[in-house]
Amino acid sequence: MPKKNLHPNWYHDTKVYCDGKHIMTIGSTKKELHVDIWSGNHPFFTGSQRIIDTEGMVERFMKKYNLKSSNQTEYSN
């Protein structure tokens, strides 16, 4: 005999909030969800993400291990 009241309640109209603003409605086991980051304000999805090579980390690594960078040819004149 299966147990009763085993599964949580499902809410079809859960409101998702970010910074106090209602951003979407989804289905969830909670009535309200408060998130810090969502695709509308995350740098990866908004295109504002920048990859920065701080202090030339790649160049320092190559110099430390005496490696040639990929744009240098092995045979030089």
Side-chain angles (χ1 to χ4, degrees):
M1 178 78 108
K3 293 182 179 180
K4 293 185 180 195
N5 300 323
L6 180 65
H7 297 287
N9 292 330
W10 185 258
Y11 301 99
H12 293 282
D13 56 348
T14 298
K15 294 184 180 355
V16 180
Y17 295 95
C18 183
D19 294 331
K21 298 179 197 170
H22 175 257
I23 52 175
M24 68 179 83
T25 303
I26 61 170
S28 177
T29 57
K30 300 197 179 212
K31 289 183 180 183
E32 283 186 355
L33 294 173
H34 296 272
V35 296
D36 295 327
I37 296 176
W38 65 292
S39 62
N41 68 356
H42 191 279
F44 178 79
F45 296 105
T46 60
S48 62
Q49 181 181 22
R50 286 178 253 147
I51 299 172
I52 300 172
D53 181 18
T54 41
E55 300 176 7
M57 293 174 74
V58 174
E59 289 79 17
R60 283 191 313 173
F61 176 84
M62 299 299 265
K63 184 178 176 183
K64 180 178 179 179
Y65 294 105
N66 293 324
L67 300 173
K68 295 180 181 178
S69 66
S70 61
N71 60 359
Q72 291 178 338
T73 60
E74 191 161 327
Y75 304 105
S76 54
N77 296 342

